[in-house]
Coordinates of all heavy atoms in Angstrom, one line a residue:
M1 N -6.0 41.5 75.2 CA -7.5 41.6 75.8 C -7.9 40.2 76.3 O -8.6 40.2 77.3 CB -8.3 42.0 74.6 CG -8.0 43.3 74.0 SD -9.2 44.3 73.3 CE -10.7 43.6 73.7
R2 N -7.4 39.1 75.9 CA -7.9 37.8 76.4 C -7.5 37.7 77.8 O -8.1 37.1 78.6 CB -7.2 36.7 75.5 CG -8.2 36.4 74.4 CD -7.7 35.1 73.7 NE -7.3 35.7 72.3 CZ -6.3 35.1 71.7 NH1 -5.7 34.3 72.1 NH2 -5.9 35.6 70.5
A3 N -6.1 38.3 78.2 CA -5.7 38.1 79.5 C -6.5 38.9 80.4 O -6.9 38.4 81.5 CB -4.3 38.7 79.5
W4 N -6.9 40.1 80.1 CA -7.8 40.8 81.0 C -9.2 40.1 81.2 O -9.7 40.0 82.3 CB -8.1 42.3 80.4 CG -6.9 43.1 80.5 CD1 -6.1 43.5 79.4 CD2 -6.4 43.8 81.7 NE1 -5.1 44.4 79.9 CE2 -5.3 44.5 81.3 CE3 -6.8 43.8 83.0 CZ2 -4.6 45.2 82.1 CZ3 -6.0 44.5 83.9 CH2 -5.0 45.3 83.5
K5 N -9.8 39.6 80.1 CA -11.0 38.9 80.2 C -10.8 37.6 80.9 O -11.7 37.2 81.8 CB -11.6 38.8 78.8 CG -12.0 39.9 78.2 CD -12.6 39.7 76.9 CE -14.0 39.1 76.7 NZ -14.6 38.9 75.5
G6 N -9.6 37.0 80.8 CA -9.5 35.8 81.5 C -9.3 36.0 83.0 O -9.6 35.0 83.8
L7 N -8.9 37.2 83.3 CA -8.9 37.5 84.8 C -10.2 38.0 85.4 O -10.3 38.4 86.5 CB -7.7 38.6 85.1 CG -6.3 38.1 84.8 CD1 -5.4 39.4 84.8 CD2 -6.0 37.1 85.9
G8 N -11.2 37.9 84.6 CA -12.5 38.4 85.0 C -13.0 39.8 84.9 O -13.9 40.3 85.3
F9 N -12.0 40.6 84.2 CA -12.3 42.0 84.0 C -13.4 42.1 83.0 O -13.4 41.6 81.9 CB -11.1 42.8 83.6 CG -10.1 43.0 84.8 CD1 -9.2 42.0 85.0 CD2 -10.1 44.2 85.6 CE1 -8.2 42.2 86.0 CE2 -9.3 44.2 86.5 CZ -8.4 43.4 86.9
Q10 N -14.2 43.2 83.1 CA -15.1 43.7 82.0 C -14.5 44.9 81.5 O -14.2 45.9 82.2 CB -16.5 44.0 82.6 CG -17.4 44.6 81.6 CD -18.7 45.0 82.2 OE1 -19.1 44.6 83.3 NE2 -19.5 45.8 81.4
L11 N -14.2 45.0 80.2 CA -13.5 46.0 79.6 C -14.5 46.9 78.9 O -15.4 46.5 78.3 CB -12.4 45.5 78.5 CG -11.4 44.5 79.0 CD1 -10.6 44.2 77.8 CD2 -10.5 45.3 80.1
V12 N -14.3 48.2 79.1 CA -15.2 49.2 78.4 C -14.2 50.1 77.7 O -13.4 50.9 78.3 CB -16.0 50.1 79.3 CG1 -16.9 51.2 78.6 CG2 -17.0 49.2 80.1
I13 N -14.1 50.0 76.4 CA -13.2 50.7 75.5 C -13.9 51.6 74.6 O -14.9 51.3 73.8 CB -12.4 49.8 74.7 CG1 -11.6 48.8 75.7 CG2 -11.3 50.5 73.7 CD1 -10.9 47.7 74.9
G14 N -13.6 52.9 74.5 CA -14.1 53.9 73.7 C -13.1 54.1 72.5 O -12.1 54.5 72.8
V15 N -13.6 54.0 71.2 CA -12.8 54.2 70.1 C -13.7 54.9 69.0 O -14.8 54.6 69.0 CB -12.1 53.0 69.4 CG1 -11.2 52.4 70.4 CG2 -13.3 51.9 69.1
P16 N -13.0 55.5 68.1 CA -13.8 56.1 67.0 C -14.2 54.9 66.0 O -13.6 53.9 66.1 CB -12.9 56.9 66.2 CG -11.7 57.1 67.0 CD -11.7 56.1 68.0
L17 N -15.4 54.9 65.3 CA -16.0 53.8 64.5 C -15.0 53.4 63.6 O -15.1 52.2 63.3 CB -17.3 54.4 63.9 CG -18.5 54.4 64.7 CD1 -19.7 54.9 63.9 CD2 -18.8 53.0 65.3
D18 N -14.1 54.1 63.0 CA -13.2 53.6 62.0 C -12.1 52.7 62.7 O -11.3 52.1 62.0 CB -12.6 54.7 61.2 CG -11.6 55.7 62.1 OD1 -11.9 55.9 63.2 OD2 -10.7 56.3 61.5
K19 N -12.0 52.6 64.0 CA -11.1 51.8 64.7 C -11.6 50.6 65.2 O -10.9 49.8 65.8 CB -10.4 52.6 65.7 CG -9.7 53.8 65.4 CD -8.5 53.7 64.4 CE -7.9 55.0 64.1 NZ -7.6 55.2 62.7
V20 N -12.9 50.4 65.1 CA -13.7 49.3 65.8 C -13.3 47.9 65.2 O -13.1 46.9 66.0 CB -15.1 49.5 65.8 CG1 -15.9 48.4 66.2 CG2 -15.5 50.7 66.6
T21 N -13.0 47.9 63.9 CA -12.8 46.7 63.2 C -11.6 45.7 63.9 O -11.6 44.5 63.9 CB -12.5 46.7 61.7 OG1 -11.4 47.6 61.6 CG2 -13.6 47.3 61.1
G22 N -10.7 46.5 64.4 CA -9.6 45.7 65.1 C -9.9 45.1 66.4 O -9.4 44.1 66.9
L23 N -10.9 45.6 67.1 CA -11.4 45.1 68.3 C -12.6 44.1 68.2 O -12.9 43.4 69.2 CB -11.9 46.2 69.1 CG -10.8 47.2 69.6 CD1 -11.3 48.4 70.3 CD2 -9.8 46.5 70.4
E24 N -13.4 44.1 67.1 CA -14.5 43.2 66.9 C -14.4 41.8 67.3 O -15.2 41.3 67.9 CB -15.0 43.3 65.4 CG -15.7 44.7 65.2 CD -16.2 44.7 63.8 OE1 -15.5 44.5 62.8 OE2 -17.4 45.1 63.6
P25 N -13.3 41.1 67.0 CA -13.1 39.8 67.2 C -13.1 39.5 68.8 O -13.4 38.4 69.3 CB -11.8 39.3 66.6 CG -11.5 40.3 65.6 CD -12.1 41.6 66.1
H26 N -12.9 40.5 69.7 CA -12.8 40.4 71.0 C -14.1 40.9 71.7 O -14.1 40.8 73.0 CB -11.5 41.1 71.5 CG -10.3 40.8 70.8 ND1 -9.6 39.6 71.0 CD2 -9.6 41.4 69.8 CE1 -8.6 39.5 70.3 NE2 -8.5 40.6 69.5
M27 N -15.0 41.4 71.0 CA -16.2 41.9 71.7 C -17.4 41.0 71.9 O -17.6 40.2 71.0 CB -16.6 43.1 70.9 CG -15.7 44.4 70.9 SD -16.5 45.8 70.1 CE -16.0 45.5 68.4
D28 N -18.1 41.1 73.0 CA -19.3 40.5 73.2 C -20.5 41.4 72.7 O -21.5 40.9 72.5 CB -19.4 40.2 74.7 CG -18.4 39.2 75.1 OD1 -18.0 38.2 74.3 OD2 -18.0 39.1 76.3
E29 N -20.3 42.7 72.9 CA -21.4 43.6 72.5 C -20.8 44.9 72.0 O -19.6 45.3 72.5 CB -22.1 43.9 73.8 CG -23.4 44.8 73.6 CD -24.2 44.8 74.8 OE1 -23.8 44.4 75.9 OE2 -25.4 45.3 74.7
L30 N -21.3 45.6 71.1 CA -21.0 46.8 70.5 C -22.0 47.8 70.6 O -23.1 47.5 70.1 CB -20.5 46.6 68.9 CG -20.1 47.9 68.3 CD1 -18.9 48.6 68.7 CD2 -19.8 47.5 66.6
L31 N -21.7 48.9 71.2 CA -22.7 49.9 71.4 C -22.2 51.3 70.8 O -21.1 51.6 70.9 CB -23.1 50.2 72.9 CG -23.6 49.0 73.7 CD1 -23.5 49.3 75.2 CD2 -24.9 48.6 73.2
A32 N -23.1 52.0 70.2 CA -22.7 53.4 69.7 C -23.3 54.4 70.5 O -24.5 54.3 70.9 CB -23.1 53.6 68.3
I33 N -22.5 55.2 71.0 CA -23.0 56.5 71.8 C -23.0 57.7 71.0 O -21.9 58.1 70.6 CB -22.1 56.6 73.0 CG1 -22.2 55.3 73.9 CG2 -22.7 57.8 74.0 CD1 -21.3 55.2 75.1
T34 N -24.1 58.2 70.8 CA -24.2 59.5 70.0 C -24.7 60.6 70.9 O -25.7 60.5 71.7 CB -25.2 59.2 68.9 OG1 -25.0 58.0 68.2 CG2 -25.3 60.4 67.9
K35 N -24.0 61.8 70.7 CA -24.5 63.0 71.4 C -24.9 64.1 70.5 O -24.2 64.4 69.5 CB -23.3 63.6 72.3 CG -23.7 64.7 73.1 CD -22.4 65.1 74.0 CE -22.7 66.3 74.8 NZ -21.7 66.7 75.6
N36 N -26.0 64.8 70.9 CA -26.5 66.0 70.0 C -25.8 67.1 70.5 O -25.9 67.4 71.8 CB -28.1 66.0 70.3 CG -28.6 67.2 69.3 OD1 -28.1 68.3 69.5 ND2 -29.7 66.8 68.6
A37 N -25.0 67.8 69.7 CA -24.2 69.0 70.1 C -25.1 70.1 70.5 O -24.7 70.9 71.3 CB -23.2 69.3 69.0
T38 N -26.4 70.2 70.0 CA -27.1 71.2 70.2 C -28.0 71.1 71.6 O -27.8 72.1 72.4 CB -28.3 71.4 69.1 OG1 -27.6 71.6 67.9 CG2 -29.1 72.7 69.5
T39 N -28.4 69.9 71.9 CA -29.3 69.7 73.0 C -28.4 69.0 74.2 O -28.9 69.0 75.3 CB -30.5 68.8 72.8 OG1 -29.9 67.5 72.4 CG2 -31.3 69.2 71.7
H40 N -27.1 68.5 73.8 CA -26.3 67.9 74.8 C -26.9 66.5 75.4 O -26.4 66.1 76.2 CB -25.8 68.8 75.9 CG -25.2 70.1 75.4 ND1 -24.1 70.0 74.8 CD2 -25.8 71.3 75.4 CE1 -23.7 71.4 74.5 NE2 -24.7 72.2 74.8
Q41 N -27.9 66.1 74.6 CA -28.6 64.8 75.0 C -27.7 63.7 74.3 O -27.4 63.9 73.2 CB -29.9 64.7 74.7 CG -30.9 65.7 75.5 CD -32.3 65.5 75.2 OE1 -32.7 65.4 74.0 NE2 -33.2 65.5 76.2
A42 N -27.5 62.6 74.9 CA -26.9 61.5 74.4 C -27.8 60.1 74.5 O -28.7 60.1 75.3 CB -25.6 61.2 75.1
W43 N -27.6 59.3 73.4 CA -28.3 58.0 73.5 C -27.3 56.9 73.0 O -26.4 57.2 72.5 CB -29.5 58.1 72.7 CG -29.3 58.4 71.2 CD1 -29.2 57.5 70.2 CD2 -29.3 59.7 70.7 NE1 -29.1 58.2 69.0 CE2 -29.1 59.5 69.4 CE3 -29.3 61.0 71.1 CZ2 -28.9 60.6 68.4 CZ3 -29.1 62.0 70.3 CH2 -28.9 61.8 69.0
I44 N -27.7 55.7 73.5 CA -27.0 54.5 73.1 C -27.7 53.6 72.2 O -29.0 53.4 72.5 CB -26.7 53.7 74.5 CG1 -25.8 54.6 75.4 CG2 -26.0 52.4 74.1 CD1 -25.7 54.0 76.8
T45 N -27.0 53.2 71.2 CA -27.7 52.3 70.2 C -26.8 51.0 70.0 O -25.6 51.2 69.7 CB -27.6 53.1 68.8 OG1 -28.3 54.3 68.8 CG2 -28.4 52.2 67.6
P46 N -27.4 49.9 70.2 CA -26.8 48.7 69.9 C -26.3 48.5 68.6 O -27.3 48.7 67.6 CB -27.7 47.6 70.5 CG -28.8 48.3 71.3 CD -28.9 49.7 70.7
I47 N -25.2 48.0 68.1 CA -24.9 47.8 66.8 C -24.8 46.2 66.6 O -24.1 45.6 67.4 CB -23.6 48.4 66.3 CG1 -23.7 49.9 66.5 CG2 -23.2 48.0 64.9 CD1 -22.5 50.6 66.2
T48 N -25.6 45.6 65.7 CA -25.5 44.2 65.6 C -25.0 43.9 64.2 O -25.1 44.7 63.2 CB -26.9 43.6 65.8 OG1 -27.8 44.2 64.8 CG2 -27.4 43.9 67.2
D49 N -24.6 42.6 63.9 CA -24.3 42.1 62.7 C -25.4 41.6 62.0 O -26.2 40.8 62.5 CB -23.3 41.0 62.8 CG -22.9 40.3 61.5 OD1 -23.3 40.7 60.5 OD2 -22.1 39.3 61.5
A50 N -25.8 42.3 60.8 CA -27.1 41.9 60.2 C -27.2 40.5 59.9 O -28.3 39.9 59.9 CB -27.1 42.8 58.8
A51 N -26.1 39.8 59.4 CA -26.1 38.4 59.0 C -26.5 37.5 60.3 O -27.2 36.6 60.2 CB -25.0 38.0 58.3
A52 N -25.8 37.9 61.4 CA -26.0 37.1 62.6 C -27.5 37.4 63.2 O -28.1 36.5 63.7 CB -25.0 37.6 63.7
A53 N -28.0 38.5 62.9 CA -29.3 38.8 63.4 C -30.4 38.1 62.7 O -31.4 37.8 63.2 CB -29.5 40.3 63.4
Q54 N -30.0 37.8 61.3 CA -31.0 37.0 60.6 C -30.8 35.4 60.7 O -31.4 34.7 60.1 CB -31.0 37.5 59.2 CG -31.3 38.9 58.9 CD -31.0 39.3 57.5 OE1 -30.6 38.6 56.7 NE2 -31.5 40.5 57.3
G55 N -29.8 35.1 61.4 CA -29.5 33.7 61.7 C -28.8 33.0 60.5 O -28.6 31.8 60.5
S56 N -28.2 33.8 59.7 CA -27.4 33.2 58.5 C -25.9 33.3 58.7 O -25.5 33.8 59.7 CB -27.6 34.0 57.1 OG -27.3 35.3 57.3
T57 N -25.2 32.4 57.9 CA -23.6 32.4 58.1 C -23.2 32.7 56.7 O -23.8 32.7 55.8 CB -23.2 31.1 58.6 OG1 -23.5 30.0 57.6 CG2 -23.8 30.6 59.9
A58 N -21.9 32.9 56.8 CA -21.2 33.3 55.5 C -21.2 32.0 54.5 O -21.2 32.2 53.3 CB -19.7 33.6 55.8
S59 N -21.3 30.9 55.0 CA -21.3 29.8 54.2 C -22.8 29.5 53.5 O -23.0 29.0 52.6 CB -21.1 28.5 54.9 OG -22.1 28.3 56.0
D60 N -23.8 30.3 54.0 CA -25.1 30.3 53.4 C -25.3 31.1 52.1 O -26.2 30.8 51.4 CB -26.2 30.9 54.3 CG -26.5 30.1 55.7 OD1 -26.1 28.9 55.6 OD2 -26.9 30.6 56.6
A61 N -24.3 32.0 51.9 CA -24.3 32.8 50.7 C -24.1 32.1 49.5 O -23.5 31.2 49.3 CB -23.4 34.0 50.8

């Protein structure tokens, strides 16, 4: 992944949520796309690290 990013590529990768952890160290942003099977409407939800959002680090605990 570093090679692609080093060449200036923007990667958009779709994976199930249970597979995200292997990619997290390489991500700048994580978005969840949810689709309502009844209405067929979809929406995007940003997923953030709660600790990072509050400005704390693992060493603060």
Side-chain angles (χ1 to χ4, degrees):
M1 297 209 13
R2 276 186 249 145
W4 287 106
K5 289 176 77 175
L7 291 171
F9 285 89
Q10 176 182 348
L11 303 177
V12 178
I13 301 171
V15 297
L17 281 177
D18 64 329
K19 305 294 185 225
V20 169
T21 56
L23 297 172
E24 281 179 316
H26 308 284
M27 290 191 271
D28 295 326
E29 187 171 15
L30 175 60
L31 303 171
I33 301 172
T34 307
K35 182 177 180 181
N36 182 309
T38 304
T39 65
H40 304 290
Q41 291 180 322
W43 59 94
I44 300 171
T45 305
I47 298 176
T48 59
D49 179 359
Q54 294 175 357
S56 63
T57 64
S59 62
D60 291 343

